Amino acid sequence: NAGVTQTPKFQVLKTGQSMTLQCAQDMNHEYMSWYRQDPGMGLRLIHYSVGAGITDQGEVPNGYNVSRSTTEDFPLRLLSAAPSQTSVYFCASSTGTGGTGELFFGEGSRLTVL
Amino acid sequence: AQSVTQLGSHVSVSEGALVLLRCNYSSSVPPYLFWYVQYPNQGLQLLLKYTSAATLVKGINGFEAEFKKSETSFHLTKPSAHMSDAAEYFCAVSGYTGFQKLVFGTGTRLLVSP
């Protein structure tokens, strides 16, 4: 019963480097999303997808790219990492249209940008 | 549009005392409401949810919340705190028109002392 799986769990980058955070879900959920969690700010939506081939921006999309080529996978790409992107990133999925919006979360990826 | 306000970034209680975590919401459509819990270094897991059925909702680990439309509130309570309840709690709202996105509050950290 894997649910939502995120890799890596920890990553240290230097400013300007690029990387991809991986997210996969095995629940056949339409909706997938990426949040970042920062102290005192709760969870803020970065990007989301309502199905394969469809993505849209959330509240804080700058500096991040996403794609959704399959129902299962939703990678988050940092093109040129900045210290402001130091955060904990969560991938989440839900059933989408017709559901309640209840999200199922991965365990998070802690990113530090030096 | 939906938003959530959680009053108090930290709440301290003694073991065995009542737990009360406050959440007020704003929604332009009838809401779905959620409480999530996050234990240290883990992802978020669902405690309970309101989906327009009973206004008093019971969740896991003895927690419950009451939906009060007149007060636009969805406060989380537990009659007797346990040390294992120490965690961060997030209130979230979505609206049941078409596709829903979850909007989170900034979180309340619950501290439980012996």
Side-chain angles (χ1 to χ4, degrees), chain B residues 6-8 10-11 13 19-23 35 47 63 74-78 87-90 108-110:
Chain B
Q6 290 185 243
L7 298 175
H10 293 79
V11 170
V13 300
V19 175
L20 171 60
L21 304 182
R22 299 180 186 273
C23 172
W35 276 99
L47 263 183
F63 284 92
F74 191 58
H75 302 329
L76 182 71
T77 61
K78 181 174 181 179
E88 189 152 21
Y89 293 80
F90 292 92
T108 298
R109 184 167 298 278
L110 178 65

mmCIF file with all atom_site columns, all heavy atoms in Angstrom, chain B residues 6-8 10-11 13 19-23 35 47 63 74-78 87-90 108-110:
data_model
loop_
_atom_site.group_PDB
_atom_site.id
_atom_site.type_symbol
_atom_site.label_atom_id
_atom_site.label_alt_id
_atom_site.label_comp_id
_atom_site.label_asym_id
_atom_site.label_entity_id
_atom_site.label_seq_id
_atom_site.pdbx_PDB_ins_code
_atom_site.Cartn_x
_atom_site.Cartn_y
_atom_site.Cartn_z
_atom_site.occupancy
_atom_site.B_iso_or_equiv
_atom_site.pdbx_formal_charge
_atom_site.auth_seq_id
_atom_site.auth_comp_id
_atom_site.auth_asym_id
_atom_site.auth_atom_id
_atom_site.pdbx_PDB_model_num
ATOM 1   N N   . GLN B 1 6   ? -6.164  30.191 11.400 1.00 0.00 ? 6   GLN B N   1
ATOM 2   C CA  . GLN B 1 6   ? -5.971  29.422 12.634 1.00 0.00 ? 6   GLN B CA  1
ATOM 3   C C   . GLN B 1 6   ? -5.444  30.378 13.694 1.00 0.00 ? 6   GLN B C   1
ATOM 4   O O   . GLN B 1 6   ? -4.406  31.009 13.499 1.00 0.00 ? 6   GLN B O   1
ATOM 5   C CB  . GLN B 1 6   ? -4.981  28.284 12.403 1.00 0.00 ? 6   GLN B CB  1
ATOM 6   C CG  . GLN B 1 6   ? -5.548  27.191 11.520 1.00 0.00 ? 6   GLN B CG  1
ATOM 7   C CD  . GLN B 1 6   ? -4.604  26.002 11.394 1.00 0.00 ? 6   GLN B CD  1
ATOM 8   O OE1 . GLN B 1 6   ? -4.118  25.686 10.306 1.00 0.00 ? 6   GLN B OE1 1
ATOM 9   N NE2 . GLN B 1 6   ? -4.358  25.345 12.510 1.00 0.00 ? 6   GLN B NE2 1
ATOM 10  N N   . LEU B 1 7   ? -6.174  30.477 14.792 1.00 0.00 ? 7   LEU B N   1
ATOM 11  C CA  . LEU B 1 7   ? -5.802  31.390 15.860 1.00 0.00 ? 7   LEU B CA  1
ATOM 12  C C   . LEU B 1 7   ? -4.822  30.722 16.803 1.00 0.00 ? 7   LEU B C   1
ATOM 13  O O   . LEU B 1 7   ? -5.138  29.695 17.405 1.00 0.00 ? 7   LEU B O   1
ATOM 14  C CB  . LEU B 1 7   ? -7.056  31.841 16.614 1.00 0.00 ? 7   LEU B CB  1
ATOM 15  C CG  . LEU B 1 7   ? -8.065  32.620 15.767 1.00 0.00 ? 7   LEU B CG  1
ATOM 16  C CD1 . LEU B 1 7   ? -9.315  32.909 16.547 1.00 0.00 ? 7   LEU B CD1 1
ATOM 17  C CD2 . LEU B 1 7   ? -7.438  33.908 15.244 1.00 0.00 ? 7   LEU B CD2 1
ATOM 18  N N   . GLY B 1 8   ? -3.648  31.318 16.927 1.00 0.00 ? 8   GLY B N   1
ATOM 19  C CA  . GLY B 1 8   ? -2.628  30.770 17.813 1.00 0.00 ? 8   GLY B CA  1
ATOM 20  C C   . GLY B 1 8   ? -1.677  29.862 17.073 1.00 0.00 ? 8   GLY B C   1
ATOM 21  O O   . GLY B 1 8   ? -2.053  28.788 16.615 1.00 0.00 ? 8   GLY B O   1
ATOM 22  N N   . HIS B 1 10  ? 0.916   28.556 18.527 1.00 0.00 ? 10  HIS B N   1
ATOM 23  C CA  . HIS B 1 10  ? 1.280   27.554 19.515 1.00 0.00 ? 10  HIS B CA  1
ATOM 24  C C   . HIS B 1 10  ? 0.197   27.483 20.587 1.00 0.00 ? 10  HIS B C   1
ATOM 25  O O   . HIS B 1 10  ? -0.311  28.522 21.023 1.00 0.00 ? 10  HIS B O   1
ATOM 26  C CB  . HIS B 1 10  ? 2.619   27.896 20.185 1.00 0.00 ? 10  HIS B CB  1
ATOM 27  C CG  . HIS B 1 10  ? 3.793   27.813 19.269 1.00 0.00 ? 10  HIS B CG  1
ATOM 28  N ND1 . HIS B 1 10  ? 4.119   28.779 18.371 1.00 0.00 ? 10  HIS B ND1 1
ATOM 29  C CD2 . HIS B 1 10  ? 4.725   26.825 19.105 1.00 0.00 ? 10  HIS B CD2 1
ATOM 30  C CE1 . HIS B 1 10  ? 5.199   28.415 17.686 1.00 0.00 ? 10  HIS B CE1 1
ATOM 31  N NE2 . HIS B 1 10  ? 5.585   27.236 18.107 1.00 0.00 ? 10  HIS B NE2 1
ATOM 32  N N   . VAL B 1 11  ? -0.128  26.275 20.986 1.00 0.00 ? 11  VAL B N   1
ATOM 33  C CA  . VAL B 1 11  ? -1.051  26.055 22.095 1.00 0.00 ? 11  VAL B CA  1
ATOM 34  C C   . VAL B 1 11  ? -0.397  25.050 23.038 1.00 0.00 ? 11  VAL B C   1
ATOM 35  O O   . VAL B 1 11  ? 0.073   23.996 22.590 1.00 0.00 ? 11  VAL B O   1
ATOM 36  C CB  . VAL B 1 11  ? -2.409  25.516 21.603 1.00 0.00 ? 11  VAL B CB  1
ATOM 37  C CG1 . VAL B 1 11  ? -3.263  25.050 22.767 1.00 0.00 ? 11  VAL B CG1 1
ATOM 38  C CG2 . VAL B 1 11  ? -3.153  26.573 20.796 1.00 0.00 ? 11  VAL B CG2 1
ATOM 39  N N   . VAL B 1 13  ? -0.837  22.731 26.544 1.00 0.00 ? 13  VAL B N   1
ATOM 40  C CA  . VAL B 1 13  ? -1.765  22.143 27.499 1.00 0.00 ? 13  VAL B CA  1
ATOM 41  C C   . VAL B 1 13  ? -1.014  21.134 28.349 1.00 0.00 ? 13  VAL B C   1
ATOM 42  O O   . VAL B 1 13  ? 0.070   20.660 27.971 1.00 0.00 ? 13  VAL B O   1
ATOM 43  C CB  . VAL B 1 13  ? -2.957  21.439 26.809 1.00 0.00 ? 13  VAL B CB  1
ATOM 44  C CG1 . VAL B 1 13  ? -3.754  22.427 25.968 1.00 0.00 ? 13  VAL B CG1 1
ATOM 45  C CG2 . VAL B 1 13  ? -2.486  20.262 25.967 1.00 0.00 ? 13  VAL B CG2 1
ATOM 46  N N   . VAL B 1 19  ? -8.092  19.902 24.899 1.00 0.00 ? 19  VAL B N   1
ATOM 47  C CA  . VAL B 1 19  ? -7.418  20.502 23.752 1.00 0.00 ? 19  VAL B CA  1
ATOM 48  C C   . VAL B 1 19  ? -8.456  21.241 22.922 1.00 0.00 ? 19  VAL B C   1
ATOM 49  O O   . VAL B 1 19  ? -9.508  20.690 22.579 1.00 0.00 ? 19  VAL B O   1
ATOM 50  C CB  . VAL B 1 19  ? -6.736  19.429 22.885 1.00 0.00 ? 19  VAL B CB  1
ATOM 51  C CG1 . VAL B 1 19  ? -6.145  20.069 21.624 1.00 0.00 ? 19  VAL B CG1 1
ATOM 52  C CG2 . VAL B 1 19  ? -5.667  18.693 23.663 1.00 0.00 ? 19  VAL B CG2 1
ATOM 53  N N   . LEU B 1 20  ? -8.162  22.514 22.604 1.00 0.00 ? 20  LEU B N   1
ATOM 54  C CA  . LEU B 1 20  ? -9.022  23.302 21.730 1.00 0.00 ? 20  LEU B CA  1
ATOM 55  C C   . LEU B 1 20  ? -8.145  24.053 20.746 1.00 0.00 ? 20  LEU B C   1
ATOM 56  O O   . LEU B 1 20  ? -7.375  24.918 21.133 1.00 0.00 ? 20  LEU B O   1
ATOM 57  C CB  . LEU B 1 20  ? -9.871  24.292 22.530 1.00 0.00 ? 20  LEU B CB  1
ATOM 58  C CG  . LEU B 1 20  ? -10.658 25.338 21.701 1.00 0.00 ? 20  LEU B CG  1
ATOM 59  C CD1 . LEU B 1 20  ? -11.641 24.666 20.753 1.00 0.00 ? 20  LEU B CD1 1
ATOM 60  C CD2 . LEU B 1 20  ? -11.367 26.330 22.624 1.00 0.00 ? 20  LEU B CD2 1
ATOM 61  N N   . LEU B 1 21  ? -8.258  23.706 19.472 1.00 0.00 ? 21  LEU B N   1
ATOM 62  C CA  . LEU B 1 21  ? -7.521  24.392 18.415 1.00 0.00 ? 21  LEU B CA  1
ATOM 63  C C   . LEU B 1 21  ? -8.555  25.065 17.514 1.00 0.00 ? 21  LEU B C   1
ATOM 64  O O   . LEU B 1 21  ? -9.468  24.429 17.017 1.00 0.00 ? 21  LEU B O   1
ATOM 65  C CB  . LEU B 1 21  ? -6.667  23.409 17.611 1.00 0.00 ? 21  LEU B CB  1
ATOM 66  C CG  . LEU B 1 21  ? -5.686  22.566 18.421 1.00 0.00 ? 21  LEU B CG  1
ATOM 67  C CD1 . LEU B 1 21  ? -4.872  21.669 17.483 1.00 0.00 ? 21  LEU B CD1 1
ATOM 68  C CD2 . LEU B 1 21  ? -4.777  23.423 19.256 1.00 0.00 ? 21  LEU B CD2 1
ATOM 69  N N   . ARG B 1 22  ? -8.344  26.359 17.290 1.00 0.00 ? 22  ARG B N   1
ATOM 70  C CA  . ARG B 1 22  ? -9.367  27.165 16.619 1.00 0.00 ? 22  ARG B CA  1
ATOM 71  C C   . ARG B 1 22  ? -9.106  27.325 15.123 1.00 0.00 ? 22  ARG B C   1
ATOM 72  O O   . ARG B 1 22  ? -7.949  27.519 14.706 1.00 0.00 ? 22  ARG B O   1
ATOM 73  C CB  . ARG B 1 22  ? -9.452  28.547 17.265 1.00 0.00 ? 22  ARG B CB  1
ATOM 74  C CG  . ARG B 1 22  ? -9.825  28.510 18.727 1.00 0.00 ? 22  ARG B CG  1
ATOM 75  C CD  . ARG B 1 22  ? -9.888  29.892 19.323 1.00 0.00 ? 22  ARG B CD  1
ATOM 76  N NE  . ARG B 1 22  ? -10.112 29.841 20.767 1.00 0.00 ? 22  ARG B NE  1
ATOM 77  C CZ  . ARG B 1 22  ? -11.317 29.785 21.319 1.00 0.00 ? 22  ARG B CZ  1
ATOM 78  N NH1 . ARG B 1 22  ? -12.388 29.789 20.552 1.00 0.00 ? 22  ARG B NH1 1
ATOM 79  N NH2 . ARG B 1 22  ? -11.428 29.743 22.624 1.00 0.00 ? 22  ARG B NH2 1
ATOM 80  N N   . CYS B 1 23  ? -10.198 27.264 14.366 1.00 0.00 ? 23  CYS B N   1
ATOM 81  C CA  . CYS B 1 23  ? -10.132 27.438 12.920 1.00 0.00 ? 23  CYS B CA  1
ATOM 82  C C   . CYS B 1 23  ? -11.385 28.181 12.458 1.00 0.00 ? 23  CYS B C   1
ATOM 83  O O   . CYS B 1 23  ? -12.495 27.755 12.747 1.00 0.00 ? 23  CYS B O   1
ATOM 84  C CB  . CYS B 1 23  ? -10.048 26.089 12.216 1.00 0.00 ? 23  CYS B CB  1
ATOM 85  S SG  . CYS B 1 23  ? -10.177 26.167 10.412 1.00 0.00 ? 23  CYS B SG  1
ATOM 86  N N   . TRP B 1 35  ? -9.188  18.738 9.056  1.00 0.00 ? 35  TRP B N   1
ATOM 87  C CA  . TRP B 1 35  ? -8.066  18.897 9.956  1.00 0.00 ? 35  TRP B CA  1
ATOM 88  C C   . TRP B 1 35  ? -7.052  17.802 9.631  1.00 0.00 ? 35  TRP B C   1
ATOM 89  O O   . TRP B 1 35  ? -7.394  16.624 9.550  1.00 0.00 ? 35  TRP B O   1
ATOM 90  C CB  . TRP B 1 35  ? -8.495  18.768 11.419 1.00 0.00 ? 35  TRP B CB  1
ATOM 91  C CG  . TRP B 1 35  ? -9.040  20.020 12.012 1.00 0.00 ? 35  TRP B CG  1
ATOM 92  C CD1 . TRP B 1 35  ? -10.356 20.366 12.189 1.00 0.00 ? 35  TRP B CD1 1
ATOM 93  C CD2 . TRP B 1 35  ? -8.291  21.106 12.539 1.00 0.00 ? 35  TRP B CD2 1
ATOM 94  N NE1 . TRP B 1 35  ? -10.459 21.589 12.781 1.00 0.00 ? 35  TRP B NE1 1
ATOM 95  C CE2 . TRP B 1 35  ? -9.212  22.070 13.015 1.00 0.00 ? 35  TRP B CE2 1
ATOM 96  C CE3 . TRP B 1 35  ? -6.916  21.373 12.680 1.00 0.00 ? 35  TRP B CE3 1
ATOM 97  C CZ2 . TRP B 1 35  ? -8.809  23.268 13.600 1.00 0.00 ? 35  TRP B CZ2 1
ATOM 98  C CZ3 . TRP B 1 35  ? -6.516  22.551 13.276 1.00 0.00 ? 35  TRP B CZ3 1
ATOM 99  C CH2 . TRP B 1 35  ? -7.461  23.491 13.723 1.00 0.00 ? 35  TRP B CH2 1
ATOM 100 N N   . LEU B 1 47  ? -6.981  13.892 9.995  1.00 0.00 ? 47  LEU B N   1
ATOM 101 C CA  . LEU B 1 47  ? -7.602  13.629 11.299 1.00 0.00 ? 47  LEU B CA  1
ATOM 102 C C   . LEU B 1 47  ? -9.099  13.423 11.141 1.00 0.00 ? 47  LEU B C   1
ATOM 103 O O   . LEU B 1 47  ? -9.677  12.488 11.683 1.00 0.00 ? 47  LEU B O   1
ATOM 104 C CB  . LEU B 1 47  ? -7.386  14.821 12.238 1.00 0.00 ? 47  LEU B CB  1
ATOM 105 C CG  . LEU B 1 47  ? -6.253  14.805 13.240 1.00 0.00 ? 47  LEU B CG  1
ATOM 106 C CD1 . LEU B 1 47  ? -6.324  16.067 14.082 1.00 0.00 ? 47  LEU B CD1 1
ATOM 107 C CD2 . LEU B 1 47  ? -6.323  13.578 14.135 1.00 0.00 ? 47  LEU B CD2 1
ATOM 108 N N   . PHE B 1 63  ? -10.134 12.831 18.589 1.00 0.00 ? 63  PHE B N   1
ATOM 109 C CA  . PHE B 1 63  ? -10.418 14.204 18.205 1.00 0.00 ? 63  PHE B CA  1
ATOM 110 C C   . PHE B 1 63  ? -11.803 14.333 17.559 1.00 0.00 ? 63  PHE B C   1
ATOM 111 O O   . PHE B 1 63  ? -12.300 13.393 16.945 1.00 0.00 ? 63  PHE B O   1
ATOM 112 C CB  . PHE B 1 63  ? -9.365  14.715 17.205 1.00 0.00 ? 63  PHE B CB  1
ATOM 113 C CG  . PHE B 1 63  ? -8.055  15.059 17.847 1.00 0.00 ? 63  PHE B CG  1
ATOM 114 C CD1 . PHE B 1 63  ? -7.045  14.112 17.930 1.00 0.00 ? 63  PHE B CD1 1
ATOM 115 C CD2 . PHE B 1 63  ? -7.830  16.330 18.364 1.00 0.00 ? 63  PHE B CD2 1
ATOM 116 C CE1 . PHE B 1 63  ? -5.831  14.428 18.530 1.00 0.00 ? 63  PHE B CE1 1
ATOM 117 C CE2 . PHE B 1 63  ? -6.622  16.645 18.955 1.00 0.00 ? 63  PHE B CE2 1
ATOM 118 C CZ  . PHE B 1 63  ? -5.621  15.695 19.041 1.00 0.00 ? 63  PHE B CZ  1
ATOM 119 N N   . PHE B 1 74  ? -14.694 25.894 12.642 1.00 0.00 ? 74  PHE B N   1
ATOM 120 C CA  . PHE B 1 74  ? -14.522 24.430 12.607 1.00 0.00 ? 74  PHE B CA  1
ATOM 121 C C   . PHE B 1 74  ? -13.413 24.092 13.596 1.00 0.00 ? 74  PHE B C   1
ATOM 122 O O   . PHE B 1 74  ? -12.352 23.617 13.244 1.00 0.00 ? 74  PHE B O   1
ATOM 123 C CB  . PHE B 1 74  ? -14.184 23.972 11.189 1.00 0.00 ? 74  PHE B CB  1
ATOM 124 C CG  . PHE B 1 74  ? -14.238 22.476 10.975 1.00 0.00 ? 74  PHE B CG  1
ATOM 125 C CD1 . PHE B 1 74  ? -15.397 21.756 11.228 1.00 0.00 ? 74  PHE B CD1 1
ATOM 126 C CD2 . PHE B 1 74  ? -13.130 21.789 10.491 1.00 0.00 ? 74  PHE B CD2 1
ATOM 127 C CE1 . PHE B 1 74  ? -15.447 20.392 11.008 1.00 0.00 ? 74  PHE B CE1 1
ATOM 128 C CE2 . PHE B 1 74  ? -13.176 20.421 10.276 1.00 0.00 ? 74  PHE B CE2 1
ATOM 129 C CZ  . PHE B 1 74  ? -14.335 19.727 10.535 1.00 0.00 ? 74  PHE B CZ  1
ATOM 130 N N   . HIS B 1 75  ? -13.681 24.342 14.883 1.00 0.00 ? 75  HIS B N   1
ATOM 131 C CA  . HIS B 1 75  ? -12.667 24.147 15.921 1.00 0.00 ? 75  HIS B CA  1
ATOM 132 C C   . HIS B 1 75  ? -12.455 22.676 16.236 1.00 0.00 ? 75  HIS B C   1
ATOM 133 O O   . HIS B 1 75  ? -13.411 21.889 16.262 1.00 0.00 ? 75  HIS B O   1
ATOM 134 C CB  . HIS B 1 75  ? -13.071 24.892 17.196 1.00 0.00 ? 75  HIS B CB  1
ATOM 135 C CG  . HIS B 1 75  ? -13.272 26.362 17.007 1.00 0.00 ? 75  HIS B CG  1
ATOM 136 N ND1 . HIS B 1 75  ? -12.577 27.101 16.079 1.00 0.00 ? 75  HIS B ND1 1
ATOM 137 C CD2 . HIS B 1 75  ? -14.104 27.233 17.649 1.00 0.00 ? 75  HIS B CD2 1
ATOM 138 C CE1 . HIS B 1 75  ? -12.958 28.355 16.121 1.00 0.00 ? 75  HIS B CE1 1
ATOM 139 N NE2 . HIS B 1 75  ? -13.891 28.470 17.072 1.00 0.00 ? 75  HIS B NE2 1
ATOM 140 N N   . LEU B 1 76  ? -11.232 22.326 16.513 1.00 0.00 ? 76  LEU B N   1
ATOM 141 C CA  . LEU B 1 76  ? -10.842 20.947 16.825 1.00 0.00 ? 76  LEU B CA  1
ATOM 142 C C   . LEU B 1 76  ? -10.718 20.784 18.340 1.00 0.00 ? 76  LEU B C   1
ATOM 143 O O   . LEU B 1 76  ? -10.100 21.619 18.997 1.00 0.00 ? 76  LEU B O   1
ATOM 144 C CB  . LEU B 1 76  ? -9.506  20.630 16.159 1.00 0.00 ? 76  LEU B CB  1
ATOM 145 C CG  . LEU B 1 76  ? -8.955  19.220 16.337 1.00 0.00 ? 76  LEU B CG  1
ATOM 146 C CD1 . LEU B 1 76  ? -9.785  18.214 15.545 1.00 0.00 ? 76  LEU B CD1 1
ATOM 147 C CD2 . LEU B 1 76  ? -7.497  19.149 15.892 1.00 0.00 ? 76  LEU B CD2 1
ATOM 148 N N   . THR B 1 77  ? -11.299 19.719 18.895 1.00 0.00 ? 77  THR B N   1
ATOM 149 C CA  . THR B 1 77  ? -11.232 19.487 20.331 1.00 0.00 ? 77  THR B CA  1
ATOM 150 C C   . THR B 1 77  ? -10.895 18.037 20.631 1.00 0.00 ? 77  THR B C   1
ATOM 151 O O   . THR B 1 77  ? -11.116 17.136 19.808 1.00 0.00 ? 77  THR B O   1
ATOM 152 C CB  . THR B 1 77  ? -12.561 19.839 21.027 1.00 0.00 ? 77  THR B CB  1
ATOM 153 O OG1 . THR B 1 77  ? -13.600 19.000 20.486 1.00 0.00 ? 77  THR B OG1 1
ATOM 154 C CG2 . THR B 1 77  ? -12.933 21.288 20.836 1.00 0.00 ? 77  THR B CG2 1
ATOM 155 N N   . LYS B 1 78  ? -10.341 17.863 21.845 1.00 0.00 ? 78  LYS B N   1
ATOM 156 C CA  . LYS B 1 78  ? -10.120 16.533 22.397 1.00 0.00 ? 78  LYS B CA  1
ATOM 157 C C   . LYS B 1 78  ? -10.263 16.674 23.903 1.00 0.00 ? 78  LYS B C   1
ATOM 158 O O   . LYS B 1 78  ? -9.647  17.574 24.489 1.00 0.00 ? 78  LYS B O   1
ATOM 159 C CB  . LYS B 1 78  ? -8.750  15.988 22.032 1.00 0.00 ? 78  LYS B CB  1
ATOM 160 C CG  . LYS B 1 78  ? -8.506  14.581 22.568 1.00 0.00 ? 78  LYS B CG  1
ATOM 161 C CD  . LYS B 1 78  ? -7.190  14.011 22.065 1.00 0.00 ? 78  LYS B CD  1
ATOM 162 C CE  . LYS B 1 78  ? -6.978  12.595 22.603 1.00 0.00 ? 78  LYS B CE  1
ATOM 163 N NZ  . LYS B 1 78  ? -5.723  11.971 22.125 1.00 0.00 ? 78  LYS B NZ  1
ATOM 164 N N   . ALA B 1 87  ? 2.084   17.750 18.228 1.00 0.00 ? 87  ALA B N   1
ATOM 165 C CA  . ALA B 1 87  ? 2.267   17.741 16.774 1.00 0.00 ? 87  ALA B CA  1
ATOM 166 C C   . ALA B 1 87  ? 1.823   19.098 16.257 1.00 0.00 ? 87  ALA B C   1
ATOM 167 O O   . ALA B 1 87  ? 1.398   19.968 17.017 1.00 0.00 ? 87  ALA B O   1
ATOM 168 C CB  . ALA B 1 87  ? 1.420   16.634 16.129 1.00 0.00 ? 87  ALA B CB  1
ATOM 169 N N   . GLU B 1 88  ? 1.895   19.261 14.933 1.00 0.00 ? 88  GLU B N   1
ATOM 170 C CA  . GLU B 1 88  ? 1.355   20.468 14.323 1.00 0.00 ? 88  GLU B CA  1
ATOM 171 C C   . GLU B 1 88  ? 0.046   20.106 13.631 1.00 0.00 ? 88  GLU B C   1
ATOM 172 O O   . GLU B 1 88  ? -0.045  19.066 12.969 1.00 0.00 ? 88  GLU B O   1
ATOM 173 C CB  . GLU B 1 88  ? 2.337   21.080 13.325 1.00 0.00 ? 88  GLU B CB  1
ATOM 174 C CG  . GLU B 1 88  ? 1.906   22.457 12.826 1.00 0.00 ? 88  GLU B CG  1
ATOM 175 C CD  . GLU B 1 88  ? 3.053   23.343 12.425 1.00 0.00 ? 88  GLU B CD  1
ATOM 176 O OE1 . GLU B 1 88  ? 4.137   22.829 12.136 1.00 0.00 ? 88  GLU B OE1 1
ATOM 177 O OE2 . GLU B 1 88  ? 2.832   24.581 12.378 1.00 0.00 ? 88  GLU B OE2 1
ATOM 178 N N   . TYR B 1 89  ? -0.943  20.973 13.773 1.00 0.00 ? 89  TYR B N   1
ATOM 179 C CA  . TYR B 1 89  ? -2.277  20.713 13.257 1.00 0.00 ? 89  TYR B CA  1
ATOM 180 C C   . TYR B 1 89  ? -2.643  21.800 12.234 1.00 0.00 ? 89  TYR B C   1
ATOM 181 O O   . TYR B 1 89  ? -2.462  22.996 12.488 1.00 0.00 ? 89  TYR B O   1
ATOM 182 C CB  . TYR B 1 89  ? -3.294  20.688 14.396 1.00 0.00 ? 89  TYR B CB  1
ATOM 183 C CG  . TYR B 1 89  ? -3.081  19.521 15.320 1.00 0.00 ? 89  TYR B CG  1
ATOM 184 C CD1 . TYR B 1 89  ? -2.094  19.549 16.296 1.00 0.00 ? 89  TYR B CD1 1
ATOM 185 C CD2 . TYR B 1 89  ? -3.854  18.365 15.199 1.00 0.00 ? 89  TYR B CD2 1
ATOM 186 C CE1 . TYR B 1 89  ? -1.877  18.464 17.133 1.00 0.00 ? 89  TYR B CE1 1
ATOM 187 C CE2 . TYR B 1 89  ? -3.655  17.278 16.031 1.00 0.00 ? 89  TYR B CE2 1
ATOM 188 C CZ  . TYR B 1 89  ? -2.664  17.331 16.994 1.00 0.00 ? 89  TYR B CZ  1
ATOM 189 O OH  . TYR B 1 89  ? -2.452  16.244 17.816 1.00 0.00 ? 89  TYR B OH  1
ATOM 190 N N   . PHE B 1 90  ? -3.163  21.347 11.117 1.00 0.00 ? 90  PHE B N   1
ATOM 191 C CA  . PHE B 1 90  ? -3.541  22.251 10.041 1.00 0.00 ? 90  PHE B CA  1
ATOM 192 C C   . PHE B 1 90  ? -5.027  22.113 9.719  1.00 0.00 ? 90  PHE B C   1
ATOM 193 O O   . PHE B 1 90  ? -5.528  21.003 9.531  1.00 0.00 ? 90  PHE B O   1
ATOM 194 C CB  . PHE B 1 90  ? -2.744  21.940 8.765  1.00 0.00 ? 90  PHE B CB  1
ATOM 195 C CG  . PHE B 1 90  ? -1.283  22.240 8.873  1.00 0.00 ? 90  PHE B CG  1
ATOM 196 C CD1 . PHE B 1 90  ? -0.390  21.249 9.273  1.00 0.00 ? 90  PHE B CD1 1
ATOM 197 C CD2 . PHE B 1 90  ? -0.793  23.501 8.566  1.00 0.00 ? 90  PHE B CD2 1
ATOM 198 C CE1 . PHE B 1 90  ? 0.965   21.522 9.370  1.00 0.00 ? 90  PHE B CE1 1
ATOM 199 C CE2 . PHE B 1 90  ? 0.568   23.776 8.654  1.00 0.00 ? 90  PHE B CE2 1
ATOM 200 C CZ  . PHE B 1 90  ? 1.441   22.788 9.067  1.00 0.00 ? 90  PHE B CZ  1
ATOM 201 N N   . THR B 1 108 ? -1.107  25.186 13.772 1.00 0.00 ? 108 THR B N   1
ATOM 202 C CA  . THR B 1 108 ? -0.982  25.391 15.216 1.00 0.00 ? 108 THR B CA  1
ATOM 203 C C   . THR B 1 108 ? -0.179  24.242 15.796 1.00 0.00 ? 108 THR B C   1
ATOM 204 O O   . THR B 1 108 ? -0.532  23.076 15.597 1.00 0.00 ? 108 THR B O   1
ATOM 205 C CB  . THR B 1 108 ? -2.361  25.434 15.902 1.00 0.00 ? 108 THR B CB  1
ATOM 206 O OG1 . THR B 1 108 ? -3.111  26.535 15.389 1.00 0.00 ? 108 THR B OG1 1
ATOM 207 C CG2 . THR B 1 108 ? -2.206  25.577 17.412 1.00 0.00 ? 108 THR B CG2 1
ATOM 208 N N   . ARG B 1 109 ? 0.888   24.600 16.479 1.00 0.00 ? 109 ARG B N   1
ATOM 209 C CA  . ARG B 1 109 ? 1.706   23.563 17.134 1.00 0.00 ? 109 ARG B CA  1
ATOM 210 C C   . ARG B 1 109 ? 1.160   23.318 18.530 1.00 0.00 ? 109 ARG B C   1
ATOM 211 O O   . ARG B 1 109 ? 1.059   24.253 19.335 1.00 0.00 ? 109 ARG B O   1
ATOM 212 C CB  . ARG B 1 109 ? 3.164   23.983 17.196 1.00 0.00 ? 109 ARG B CB  1
ATOM 213 C CG  . ARG B 1 109 ? 4.063   22.889 17.772 1.00 0.00 ? 109 ARG B CG  1
ATOM 214 C CD  . ARG B 1 109 ? 5.529   23.179 17.536 1.00 0.00 ? 109 ARG B CD  1
ATOM 215 N NE  . ARG B 1 109 ? 5.870   23.234 16.131 1.00 0.00 ? 109 ARG B NE  1
ATOM 216 C CZ  . ARG B 1 109 ? 6.113   22.172 15.370 1.00 0.00 ? 109 ARG B CZ  1
ATOM 217 N NH1 . ARG B 1 109 ? 6.022   20.955 15.885 1.00 0.00 ? 109 ARG B NH1 1
ATOM 218 N NH2 . ARG B 1 109 ? 6.448   22.314 14.093 1.00 0.00 ? 109 ARG B NH2 1
ATOM 219 N N   . LEU B 1 110 ? 0.807   22.081 18.805 1.00 0.00 ? 110 LEU B N   1
ATOM 220 C CA  . LEU B 1 110 ? 0.295   21.684 20.116 1.00 0.00 ? 110 LEU B CA  1
ATOM 221 C C   . LEU B 1 110 ? 1.430   21.118 20.954 1.00 0.00 ? 110 LEU B C   1
ATOM 222 O O   . LEU B 1 110 ? 2.094   20.158 20.538 1.00 0.00 ? 110 LEU B O   1
ATOM 223 C CB  . LEU B 1 110 ? -0.815  20.647 19.965 1.00 0.00 ? 110 LEU B CB  1
ATOM 224 C CG  . LEU B 1 110 ? -1.408  20.109 21.265 1.00 0.00 ? 110 LEU B CG  1
ATOM 225 C CD1 . LEU B 1 110 ? -2.127  21.212 22.032 1.00 0.00 ? 110 LEU B CD1 1
ATOM 226 C CD2 . LEU B 1 110 ? -2.348  18.937 20.998 1.00 0.00 ? 110 LEU B CD2 1
#
